[in-house]
Amino acid sequence: MAKSDKPSILFLDDDEIILVALAETLQPAGYRIVQASDPIRAVELIKNDKFAVIISDQRMPNMTGLEFLSEAKKLQPNASRILITGVLTLNTVIDAINKGEIFRFLAKPWIREELLATVQNAVQRFQLLEVNQKLQADTLKLNERLSESNTQLQQNIKQLTEQKIRLDVANKALGQNFDHSLELCYRIISTYHPGLGKETKAIVDLCRQMIDTGYFNPEEEHILKVSAWLQNIGLLGVSRELLATSRQSPESLNPTDRRIIHNHPIYGQTLASFVENLESVGATIRAHHERWDGKGYPDGLSGEIIPRPARFLAVVVFFVECGLSRQEAIEAILEQSGKAFEPEVVRFFLKVTRMMQLPKKVREILFSELKPGMILAQGISNPMGLLLVPEGATLSENTLAKIQDHNIVDPVNHRLLVYH
């Protein structure tokens, strides 16, 4: 309450004895008691103080109890209003309760316990109404804040949508500019050495076939695509004669020329950094002449230390640049599986590019695609030629597990063929 934490109760009665009796009954129950003997005075008190319960006698000069409580309802609608009367008809009282004018009525003379229980219920009603009113006010404020937040959120979404559209346009423009940069590099290579330009285009086309399978994640796809366009850029400045010699008879190169050729992936990594800031592209270009057995250049990397995209690019580059016929190049790649090239990459390259015709009922698969129940169209051997599983065998879970364990120690480097 305004003046005390105790529930405040206003008594209105023109009989001082009644006021004293009510106060003596209710004060011990812990209520703050305010008394008035005149309705006009009581109305002023209601205007300036807050009451949980307003109790009024019915018969008073100038104003009846119901008239006073009706006025009190306008001023403090949450206050519980109790009428004390000894002469009012029951129908009138019930009508007043039904219309919400009063909460309860007490007949004179009242019973003490009934008075205490009625006032207690009246206080509880007032407190519930107050809490409910506060909850409604809080809910209204919360709804207003939510409405404001939703409005702000819609504005933010609109702004983000507009920003996304602008970013999409900018990214598209950047992508086009980037593609133009790759195209420019390709044209420079083609202008300097038309043969290198043709090789670059062929390498890009084969890499695109591998990318289109969905075998790579988006980052690897980008790395392989860009590396395919730029892998030859380090050869700019190498004379046509030296380049031709390095392709036709690399063993005849003197140490200086051999160093130039072996360092061209490093030059390519440096030049590529001006076109593409992605570090992995430079690393892939640098490593695309490394070998699975560690005998490549420029760093002598081996196995899985070689960046994954570079292992795929290495097979494609060899196929295009080796100067052999299609069939001879395939045979050379198969012969170098497990030596120059990762066996699984060789299998993937041959499967995707369909370089070798297979019987209608035979298909080529990757090692990772082997499953129990498959029937081998070609036996599986280790690199020394020892037959592990014969042609026509149906793979069981146990057999497949043994092959997988063996592949970890001594990788299977030939093609894997199974029947449909």
Side-chain angles (χ1 to χ4, degrees), residues 136-163:
Q136 288 180 341
D138 291 344
T139 301
L140 181 61
K141 290 180 181 179
L142 180 59
N143 286 336
E144 290 175 352
R145 289 198 293 269
L146 286 173
S147 178
E148 293 173 357
S149 298
N150 285 334
T151 301
Q152 184 62 46
L153 179 60
Q154 292 299 324
Q155 293 175 350
N156 291 343
I157 291 174
K158 183 180 179 181
Q159 291 175 355
L160 289 173
T161 302
E162 293 173 351
Q163 289 175 3

Side-chain angles (χ1 to χ4, degrees), residues 206 209-210 213 347-355:
L206 288 172
Q209 287 186 48
M210 295 194 293
T213 63
R347 285 187 283 267
F348 178 78
F349 172 76
L350 295 178
K351 175 186 175 183
V352 171
T353 56
R354 298 178 181 176
M355 291 295 176

Side-chain angles (χ1 to χ4, degrees), residues 88-100 102 105:
L88 201 61
T89 64
L90 183 59
N91 287 338
T92 302
V93 173
I94 291 174
D95 185 56
I97 292 175
N98 288 339
K99 292 181 179 179
I102 63 175
F105 81 96

Side-chain angles (χ1 to χ4, degrees), residues 202-219:
I203 290 168
V204 168
D205 290 341
L206 288 172
C207 285
R208 186 176 289 117
Q209 287 186 48
M210 295 194 293
I211 290 170
D212 289 343
T213 63
Y215 185 71
F216 305 95
N217 62 44
E219 182 181 0

Side-chain angles (χ1 to χ4, degrees), residues 170-213:
N171 285 333
K172 183 178 180 180
L174 286 173
Q176 291 173 342
N177 289 337
F178 180 70
D179 289 342
H180 290 159
S181 297
L182 293 179
E183 179 71 18
L184 177 61
C185 291
Y186 166 68
R187 290 184 180 278
I188 291 173
I189 292 172
S190 297
T191 300
Y192 177 74
H193 196 307
L196 283 181
K198 291 180 180 179
E199 290 178 355
T200 299
K201 187 63 169 60
I203 290 168
V204 168
D205 290 341
L206 288 172
C207 285
R208 186 176 289 117
Q209 287 186 48
M210 295 194 293
I211 290 170
D212 289 343
T213 63

Side-chain angles (χ1 to χ4, degrees), residues 6 22-33:
K6 298 178 180 179
L22 286 169
E24 288 178 349
T25 301
L26 293 174
Q27 273 182 334
Y31 301 118
R32 182 174 76 91
I33 307 301

